[in-house]
Amino acid sequence: MEEITEPGDPRIADYRALTDVELRTRWEPPHGLFIAEGELVLRRAVRAGYRPRSFLVDAKRVDQLGDLDTGGAPVYAASPSVLEQTTGFHVHRGVLGSFQRRELPSVAEVLGSARRLVILEDVNNHTNLGAIFRAVAGLGVDAVLLSPSCADPLYRRSVRVSMGEVFAVPYARLEPWPDGLAEVRAAGFAVLALTPAVDAVPIQRLDPAQRTRAALLLGAEGAGLTGAAQKASDVRVVIPMRRGVDSLNVAAAAAVACWELGRDDPV
């Protein structure tokens, strides 16, 4: 353990201004790193094979990492005040880790190992993105494809909301967009565009072939899918709603749709 007494200490540069989304977007991917928060999430990152660069811990919680394989990465300890000055927020979980990113698989690799997948267009809210990855991991979907404009799944908030399940789900960027959807269809998937449109097919009425090799396509909160993405799909589907409610939050809709597509799978 190495003690940190100043927020400007260069040894903890990875952890500066974690609440500044624009700054972190410019800093993390180009430097090949991401930040994980909380003991459970850190342990899942290590278990998934991500290489730690360093750990930054509340000095009173150093023992939490006593049995963790740090891979030789330094463990820095600091007071809550120094942690807050460095990161820009009160680190109430008391444990942060900086990890090395891995090269993303190709779209072909993702398609070749998946039976069902979720495709996201313009989903740039990190909370929604993390919740979708958690639903995908827990409800029997194998992978995620992201349009070029989607947010970074390894941004700290996405990782935290997913409870580290983003580490368990293969994902790739699908380009060009939306023409890349043709590659998904060519791989034998039925691209199902989720929309609140009244003329869409209720999701529970899909035929067995569409359910078995499904690529569930969802758009950003509010805006929904673009017309171009819907035209590139095989069928437009809807989650039937009640009481005049037109739609669900995109993460909730993803969870409902993933459950519906896999409801007859063996558990």
Side-chain angles (χ1 to χ4, degrees), residues 48 98 185:
S98 175
R185 298 175 68 186

Short mmCIF file of all heavy atoms in Angstrom, two decimals, residues 48 98 185:
data_model
loop_
_atom_site.label_atom_id
_atom_site.label_comp_id
_atom_site.label_asym_id
_atom_site.label_seq_id
_atom_site.Cartn_x
_atom_site.Cartn_y
_atom_site.Cartn_z
N ALA A 48 -13.04 -11.26 -14.85
CA ALA A 48 -13.23 -11.28 -16.29
C ALA A 48 -11.92 -11.16 -17.07
O ALA A 48 -11.92 -11.24 -18.29
CB ALA A 48 -14.17 -10.14 -16.71
N SER A 98 -8.44 1.32 -11.58
CA SER A 98 -8.19 1.67 -12.97
C SER A 98 -7.73 0.40 -13.69
O SER A 98 -6.80 -0.27 -13.25
CB SER A 98 -7.12 2.75 -13.06
OG SER A 98 -6.78 3.03 -14.41
N ARG A 185 -28.27 -9.56 -40.56
CA ARG A 185 -29.29 -10.36 -41.26
C ARG A 185 -28.63 -11.48 -42.05
O ARG A 185 -29.14 -12.62 -42.09
CB ARG A 185 -30.11 -9.47 -42.18
CG ARG A 185 -30.88 -8.38 -41.42
CD ARG A 185 -31.60 -7.42 -42.36
NE ARG A 185 -32.70 -8.07 -43.07
CZ ARG A 185 -33.40 -7.49 -44.02
NH1 ARG A 185 -33.12 -6.25 -44.39
NH2 ARG A 185 -34.38 -8.13 -44.60
#
